[in-house]
Amino acid sequence: MESPELTFTLAYTVCSLCFVFTPNEFRSAGLTIQNLFSSWLGSEEMDFVQYHVKRSSTTLLVHSALPLGYYMGMCIAAPEKHLKYVHQMSDNWRVFVVLSVCVLFASCILIFYWSRQGWCNHPISRALQAHVHPPYSNWGSVASSINTEFRRIDKFATGAPGARVIVTDSWVLKVTTYNIYMAAQNDCHVTVTESRQHQLSPDSTSPIQLLTLRVHSINPAVRPFDIRLNSTEYGELREKLHAPIRNSANVVIHQTISELFLETFQAHVDLNQPYSLPTGQEVEPCIGCMQAPASTKLVRLCHVDGADGEPECEQCFCRPMWCLSCLGRWFASRQDQQRPETWLSSRVPCPTCRAKFCILDVCLVH
């Protein structure tokens, strides 16, 4: 027969894992802290910092209540242990109950201390205070800046709920269970320190590479922190991150086939003749990313005929509307993913007018 100590260890471990890691079954049923306390937490999209200040405090309170909740559950599930009456339970259970009450009471006192003076004592608020320097007058203005940039749709976000990585125009953020680590892009540099290969299943032909990046800030009040992401997301992170990225000598980052093709696509386009804009025509933003200027124009330079004698490439009359990266991604997305050896020689329709073109027809705008 199992001892009470063993039963407690197993049950408490299961309860803790359920609340900390939140399996998909709990998420699908809506049993998450974010859903259960949504009315009090507010909207993450509108008030990112305030939302996570309340979420982390609520999470701490719920986690600290787990031991006492386990005891109450054992009172119902195991009546033969006589846990409802203090004078009948064993000494081990008395110690456990006292410690459970102390943990919950200490958490309540800590959260009350955090909430004083508008949550200025919370760890997230203290992290914000480390960035109070011009143009920010106080930690509230730093929080306002982060909230504003989080609302933008062009932010980079990835990771599990307990270790999310968010990169905005000015900030690098790591959201954990109880805190938010943050660094200003202007004050930090990033180093790729480690890479690990993970084979998801014996049948998988493409293992996943997980990268560990160390974020260092020149601000002495900001402690370094690590972020982790899939190597397939590294290119997107690099585009959004303005801070310099260093790579350790022993770390090799594996690029996806699409990323490798995009580099080759850009190299081939550089060899094509440039396109000169007509006098008075201005370069507009790329309609794909709305970030870079439209830097490509499709001009039929390929004169290869098909089997019926008709030219395979067609003339495109669209004005320059796409940057080179977006057009390259469009080209790659229209290919047979199982036959990458045919990508360079294939033809795809223009994303705007559907006229067929090949790599030879892509000209850089000068």
Side-chain angles (χ1 to χ4, degrees):
M1 185 176 180
E2 293 182 346
S3 64
E5 292 77 13
L6 179 60
T7 303
F8 157 71
T9 301
L10 293 175
Y12 180 65
T13 302
V14 172
C15 291
S16 300
L17 290 175
C18 288
F19 276 88
V20 175
F21 295 102
T22 317
N24 292 331
E25 291 79 5
F26 283 82
R27 293 179 188 172
S28 61
L31 298 178
T32 63
I33 291 176
Q34 289 85 341
N35 291 338
L36 293 176
F37 299 92
S38 60
S39 59
W40 184 69
L41 296 179
S43 171
E44 181 189 36
E45 196 68 28
M46 297 304 297
D47 296 300
F48 175 80
V49 173
Q50 291 81 353
Y51 174 90
H52 285 284
V53 166
K54 294 180 180 180
R55 178 200 57 79
S56 58
S57 302
T58 305
T59 302
L60 176 61
L61 182 63
V62 171
H63 288 178
S64 63
L66 284 177
L68 194 60
Y70 167 75
Y71 162 73
M72 298 175 63
M74 288 296 294
C75 290
I76 300 174
E80 70 278 1
K81 298 183 183 297
H82 306 288
L83 300 179
K84 296 182 180 179
Y85 307 99
V86 177
H87 65 279
Q88 294 183 356
M89 67 177 62
S90 64
D91 293 338
N92 291 336
W93 276 106
R94 288 194 187 97
V95 172
F96 173 72
V97 172
V98 171
L99 291 177
S100 299
V101 173
C102 290
V103 168
L104 181 58
F105 185 67
S107 298
C108 292
I109 294 177
L110 180 60
I111 294 173
F112 176 75
Y113 169 71
W114 284 351
S115 65
R116 298 296 300 272
Q117 299 178 0
W119 297 95
C120 68
N121 298 318
H122 194 281
I124 296 177
S125 301
R126 293 182 177 179
L128 292 169
Q129 290 172 1
H131 299 278
V132 178
H133 52 76
Y136 307 114
S137 58
N138 52 54
W139 69 269
S141 60
V142 180
S144 178
S145 172
I146 295 177
N147 292 343
T148 301
E149 294 190 5
F150 183 79
R151 298 188 194 109
R152 299 172 183 169
I153 61 174
D154 61 338
K155 63 180 177 292
F156 172 82
T158 185
R164 289 174 63 199
V165 177
I166 301 169
V167 180
T168 66
D169 293 335
S170 305
W171 300 94
V172 180
L173 308 171
K174 178 184 178 181
V175 181
T176 63
T177 304
Y178 303 113
N179 203 355
I180 297 180
Y181 299 92
M182 60 190 71
Q185 289 212 41
N186 295 334
D187 299 337
C188 74
H189 64 269
V190 181
T191 304
V192 183
T193 60
E194 184 185 16
S195 66
R196 291 187 179 182
Q197 294 285 111
H198 294 271
Q199 193 80 24
L200 290 181
S201 67
D203 300 329
S204 177
T205 58
S206 56
I208 290 179
Q209 183 187 33
L210 297 180
L211 302 177
T212 301
L213 296 88
R214 187 79 166 173
V215 180
H216 295 267
S217 176
I218 61 175
N219 187 340
V222 178
R223 298 178 57 184
F225 58 92
D226 291 334
I227 59 176
R228 292 179 175 85
L229 70 156
N230 197 316
S231 62
T232 59
E233 301 170 317
Y234 178 74
E236 186 179 354
L237 171 70
R238 189 170 53 184
E239 290 182 1
K240 189 63 180 176
L241 194 63
H242 308 305
I245 301 180
R246 304 171 182 175
N247 196 347
S248 300
N250 59 339
V251 177
V252 178
I253 301 175
H254 297 165
Q255 293 180 295
T256 63
I257 294 179
S258 297
E259 290 173 336
L260 292 173
F261 172 77
L262 186 58
E263 292 184 357
T264 305
F265 180 87
Q266 293 174 344
H268 279 72
V269 172
D270 287 337
L271 301 177
N272 296 342
Q273 73 176 40
Y275 172 80
S276 298
L277 280 177
T279 304
Q281 184 175 349
E282 298 181 356
V283 176
E284 301 177 357
C286 169
I287 65 173
C289 62
M290 298 302 293
Q291 300 296 317
S295 58
T296 60
K297 174 71 170 74
L298 299 181
V299 180
R300 187 164 69 89
L301 301 176
C302 175
H303 300 287
V304 177
D305 295 335
D308 55 357
E310 294 293 329
E312 293 193 2
C313 293
E314 302 171 353
Q315 179 63 48
C316 172
F317 297 98
C318 300
R319 67 182 188 277
M321 302 174 65
W322 299 83
C323 67
L324 185 57
S325 295
C326 288
L327 190 63
R329 293 188 179 95
W330 164 264
F331 198 98
S333 68
R334 308 295 294 180
Q335 306 302 319
D336 184 353
Q337 302 299 313
Q338 305 301 322
R339 299 180 60 194
E341 68 278 1
T342 64
W343 290 12
L344 287 176
S345 60
S346 64
R347 290 164 175 79
V348 302
C350 167
T352 307
C353 70
R354 303 302 175 181
K356 287 187 177 181
F357 70 96
C358 66
I359 292 181
L360 297 176
D361 301 327
V362 182
C363 301
L364 292 175
V365 174
H366 281 190

